[in-house]
Amino acid sequence: MATDESVVRRYYLFRATNAAGFYLPISVLYLLDQGFGLGFVALVQATFSLAMLAAEIPSGYLGDRIGRRASLAVGNLLRAAGMAGYAFVDTPAGFVAMQAVWATGWAFRSGTGDAWLYELLARTCDDDEFARIKGRGSTVLLLTSAVTAIAGGLLYGVAHELPFLLSATLAVSGVPVLYTFPSVRVADEDADAFTVREAVRMLRVQASRESVRWLVAYVALFYGLFGLARMVEQPALDALGVPAAGLGVVFAAFKLVSAGAASTAGWFEERLGARGVLGLLVPVFAVAFVLGALFPVFLVPTFFLYRSARSVVQPVQNQYLNDRLADVGRATVLSGVSMVLSLSSGLLKLALGGIAEQLGPLAFLPRAGAALVVVASLLWILTRPVRSGGGTTAVSGGGAAASD
């Protein structure tokens, strides 16, 4: 099937409205400037992860029930509300509440967004193009975030609240773009009968499949690592002497490098496959954290590395999962995966936030990273998390079937 370039271009435009650049380089500094410590930063960021956890299944289920576009529109509006609210609260409870609203909005995008793109391509283009188009869409998102990150760092010096208000405005602008796309319905004629019981059954079936279960467990370790790095990178850069305005430039560079990496996702998936791409994570990060422990300045390229790795891994990981899922319940299952990843990130932040505050960001990250890489290497050897083959899984009134 020929690719509908108009649909692809509009998808890229929608991805641009999800850019996080305005607030990204100053979100942690904003809390520190309000008089909070790194321990509270860990609590706030853990709240984000755990609120996403609580919202993932309901948001994915709604994506399967009310339609992908409506679910994504709700997500954009909730994210806008959380970001705008962040600029006006000044109490610990207020910041925690805004993080919960913000996270709920992200949850509406996580599983539903990939299911929507996969099915949109199946209807208008070619679902085999998912990894390539998803990767290029991430490139657009990252480039937009790079430009807005520079602006956010500069605007923070004008008024601390401006980056959050502009982020909210950008999120709202994505809603009308969504409604330029054709409606996507699941192919199964019984999709309207997809019930909560069948959603739970689908999740149970997928969790029983080794080709899915161990992949999610393995990737969750690295998502936890990414979460810890995001928690400490702004204070780490501050400790290395980077000023607030300079953080915007640094984060723009993060996004540009990540954009280049995201554009290669399809290339890596075609040449190395999911097993080759995911298998490289252990040796690459092992070297990075050894160097970071010996020479703290090497944490700066490590920040570039983990962001780039995530940009490549996410579309490859989701292509692997999508190829093993049926249309009915796809968003619910992908939301279940995001739920596990959010849980991993949130629990690690809660468990290690106090230690990070005691050790300081430059000493904490190499130690935490090395420990997680060791666990990931053992999981890779013992469970073989990425497997070839594996058919789709369907849930019906008579039961569920899975193959590995």
Side-chain angles (χ1 to χ4, degrees), residues 182-264:
S183 177
V184 175
R185 299 292 180 187
V186 294
D188 194 298
E189 64 181 359
D190 295 325
D192 290 338
F194 189 65
T195 65
V196 173
R197 178 177 297 179
E198 288 167 341
V200 172
R201 186 186 305 153
M202 171 67 83
L203 291 171
R204 186 180 299 118
V205 167
Q206 294 297 341
S208 71
R209 301 178 67 194
E210 292 188 344
S211 63
V212 173
R213 180 175 69 243
W214 292 120
L215 179 280
V216 174
Y218 176 78
V219 172
L221 290 171
F222 288 96
Y223 272 71
L225 173 59
F226 299 157
L228 291 176
R230 291 285 295 273
M231 181 182 75
V232 302
E233 65 187 2
Q234 288 178 36
L237 291 168
D238 183 62
L240 291 171
V242 180
L247 287 176
V249 177
V250 172
F251 274 73
F254 285 161
K255 294 300 183 181
L256 291 174
V257 172
S258 298
S263 68
T264 67

Side-chain angles (χ1 to χ4, degrees), residues 6 34 54 72 107-108 112 133 155 157 162 211 242 285 289 293 327 353 370 377:
S6 173
Q34 299 295 312
L72 290 170
F108 270 86
T112 299
I133 293 173
L155 291 170
L162 271 177
S211 63
V242 180
F285 279 102
F289 286 117
D327 283 347
S377 65

Side-chain angles (χ1 to χ4, degrees), residues 118-140:
Y118 194 84
E119 291 157 12
L120 183 68
L121 293 177
R123 172 175 172 173
T124 63
C125 305
D126 184 351
D127 55 20
D128 287 338
E129 292 285 285
F130 175 88
R132 182 182 68 85
I133 293 173
K134 166 76 173 177
R136 290 185 177 180
S138 295
T139 301
V140 171

Side-chain angles (χ1 to χ4, degrees), residues 36-400:
F36 299 108
L38 196 53
F40 182 72
V41 171
L43 172 63
V44 168
Q45 293 197 356
T47 297
F48 185 94
S49 298
L50 297 177
M52 280 193 68
L53 167 66
E56 282 294 355
I57 296 304
S59 64
Y61 179 73
L62 284 174
D64 284 324
R65 291 289 293 176
I66 69 175
R68 313 305 193 206
R69 289 186 307 180
S71 182
L72 290 170
V74 169
N76 272 40
L77 293 175
L78 285 173
R79 291 201 324 276
M83 285 183 279
Y86 217 73
F88 296 104
V89 300
D90 57 5
T91 65
F95 285 116
V96 169
M98 288 303 100
Q99 283 290 105
V101 173
W102 195 342
T104 302
W106 279 104
F108 270 86
R109 192 187 79 177
S110 58
T112 299
D114 285 338
W116 171 68
L117 174 61
Y118 194 84
E119 291 157 12
L120 183 68
L121 293 177
R123 172 175 172 173
T124 63
C125 305
D126 184 351
D127 55 20
D128 287 338
E129 292 285 285
F130 175 88
R132 182 182 68 85
I133 293 173
K134 166 76 173 177
R136 290 185 177 180
S138 295
T139 301
V140 171
L141 173 66
L142 292 166
L143 289 172
T144 307
S145 293
V147 173
T148 53
I150 295 174
L154 294 173
L155 291 170
Y156 187 70
V158 177
H160 288 0
E161 297 78 15
L162 271 177
F164 298 97
L165 296 175
L166 289 172
S167 291
T169 302
L170 187 61
V172 170
S173 71
V175 176
V177 176
L178 274 172
Y179 283 89
T180 68
F181 291 97
S183 177
V184 175
R185 299 292 180 187
V186 294
D188 194 298
E189 64 181 359
D190 295 325
D192 290 338
F194 189 65
T195 65
V196 173
R197 178 177 297 179
E198 288 167 341
V200 172
R201 186 186 305 153
M202 171 67 83
L203 291 171
R204 186 180 299 118
V205 167
Q206 294 297 341
S208 71
R209 301 178 67 194
E210 292 188 344
S211 63
V212 173
R213 180 175 69 243
W214 292 120
L215 179 280
V216 174
Y218 176 78
V219 172
L221 290 171
F222 288 96
Y223 272 71
L225 173 59
F226 299 157
L228 291 176
R230 291 285 295 273
M231 181 182 75
V232 302
E233 65 187 2
Q234 288 178 36
L237 291 168
D238 183 62
L240 291 171
V242 180
L247 287 176
V249 177
V250 172
F251 274 73
F254 285 161
K255 294 300 183 181
L256 291 174
V257 172
S258 298
S263 68
T264 67
W267 185 90
F268 275 108
E269 197 272 340
E270 289 175 3
R271 284 157 180 78
L272 300 179
R275 183 172 177 81
V277 171
L278 295 172
L280 284 174
L281 292 175
V282 167
V284 167
F285 279 102
V287 172
F289 286 117
V290 168
L291 290 174
L294 296 174
F295 310 101
V297 71
F298 273 95
L299 288 177
V300 176
T302 299
F303 293 148
F304 283 93
L305 173 64
Y306 87 79
R307 288 172 175 276
S308 300
R310 184 170 181 174
S311 297
V312 173
V313 165
Q314 189 176 45
V316 172
Q317 150 206 319
N318 286 342
Q319 177 82 62
Y320 176 89
L321 292 171
N322 268 306
D323 288 344
R324 287 156 177 79
L325 302 176
D327 283 347
V328 177
R330 184 189 306 279
T332 299
V333 175
L334 292 178
S335 286
V337 172
S338 292
M339 179 182 71
V340 174
L341 303 182
S342 295
L343 178 63
S344 172
S345 180
L347 291 181
L348 280 173
K349 288 173 184 175
L350 283 177
L352 302 179
I355 298 174
E357 189 161 3
Q358 290 177 2
L359 293 177
L362 298 180
F364 166 75
L365 188 57
R367 289 168 171 78
L372 287 173
V373 167
V374 169
V375 175
S377 65
L378 292 174
L379 190 66
W380 182 269
I381 293 169
L382 296 175
T383 68
R384 198 163 59 91
V386 182
R387 303 173 184 224
S388 60
T392 60
T393 303
V395 172
S396 64

